[in-house]
Amino acid sequence: MRLVLVGPPGAGKGTQAQFLSKHYLIPHISTGDIFRANLKAGTPLGVEAQKFMDAGELVPDSVTNEMVKDRLTHADTANGFLLDGFPRNVAQAQVLSIILTEKKTPLDAVLELKIDDSEIVARLNNRRSVESRADDAEEVIVHRLNVYHEQTAPIIDYYRTEGSLITISATGAVDEITTRAITALGNK
Ligand code: AMP
């Protein structure tokens, strides 16, 4: 199963990705997690990414695309993967298509987690108090949502046109959403 998860910040992508990666026995590849790990370790990549992350901006494509390209060469992706947080704009989606076309391993599905902005702000305010992520500050949340609508949402049409898009509602209990996702993915 080669899967991409798309949805606004706070839609529960990370949580669902953990369950889905266990269910399908595929690695969960979160570009946000990779950036945060680099930041914590103080690597040059982490230092470069930090200013964009703290501001709620996308890290430049040149940096992000190379990082994903490299990650997809690791042996654990041979039987599939779940990408969470990538692609984040149409240019990244095009790069991913090129990488996967070269490998002759196209995506099986792109799963969109759909949720209203008002619910997201409430959820992210809650996550800020639990996880204390710098980029969950309220004004940064609003900015990240704007970035999502302006830059990331267009990939939904890109994948709809391509025919790989599956959309589910991301409201309700975590386990209900997981079941909904697995049912929607069916025999992909
Ligand atoms: P996330 O954990 O997916 O919400 O990502 C946290 C932050 O990491 C984002 O707000 C961006 O600054 C950065 N980031 C994660 N994935 C990408 C990506 N595909 N392209 C650019 N920046 C990204």
Side-chain angles (χ1 to χ4, degrees):
M1 171 70 90
R2 287 178 295 274
L3 183 63
V4 164
L5 266 191
V6 190
K13 291 192 302 297
T15 306
Q16 292 306 324
Q18 282 177 19
F19 288 112
L20 294 173
S21 80
K22 284 206 184 84
H23 179 84
Y24 292 110
L25 302 174
I26 48 176
H28 169 201
I29 303 175
S30 157
T31 43
D33 284 352
I34 300 174
F35 283 133
R36 277 184 290 277
N38 276 276
L39 214 148
K40 208 169 156 196
T43 68
L45 178 70
V47 172
E48 182 161 14
Q50 179 163 25
K51 53 183 182 294
F52 298 100
M53 296 176 77
D54 285 351
E57 298 285 344
L58 296 186
V59 177
D61 287 353
S62 53
V63 176
T64 310
N65 290 337
E66 280 310 306
M67 188 174 88
V68 171
K69 196 168 181 180
D70 174 75
R71 182 63 184 85
L72 291 177
T73 64
H74 295 197
D76 65 346
T77 62
N79 292 321
F81 52 78
L82 193 169
L83 278 172
D84 158 18
F86 184 93
R88 231 20 181 254
N89 59 32
V90 171
Q92 291 182 5
Q94 287 166 339
V95 166
L96 180 63
S97 294
I98 292 168
I99 295 172
L100 297 180
T101 302
E102 274 173 8
K103 291 177 190 277
K104 299 192 171 60
T105 54
L107 289 174
D108 292 298
V110 174
L111 184 68
E112 179 197 5
L113 299 183
K114 210 175 171 66
I115 181 169
D116 285 345
D117 281 7
S118 54
E119 176 140 356
I120 291 169
V121 174
R123 281 193 190 184
L124 290 182
N125 277 329
N126 184 47
R127 181 167 80 183
R128 178 181 49 213
S129 54
V130 179
E131 291 181 20
S132 64
R133 266 177 58 170
D135 61 352
D136 278 345
E138 184 140 13
E139 63 279 9
V140 181
I141 290 175
V142 171
H143 184 60
R144 289 170 68 209
L145 274 175
N146 288 337
V147 168
Y148 177 78
H149 289 301
E150 284 166 16
Q151 300 188 49
T152 307
I155 73 173
I156 291 170
D157 280 334
Y158 175 92
Y159 286 122
R160 187 179 288 120
T161 306
E162 199 189 76
S164 50
L165 187 75
I166 295 174
T167 302
I168 62 164
S169 161
T171 53
V174 168
D175 57 340
E176 280 171 19
I177 301 167
T178 308
T179 306
R180 209 176 281 158
I182 292 168
T183 306
L185 289 166
N187 54 7
K188 285 273 174 195

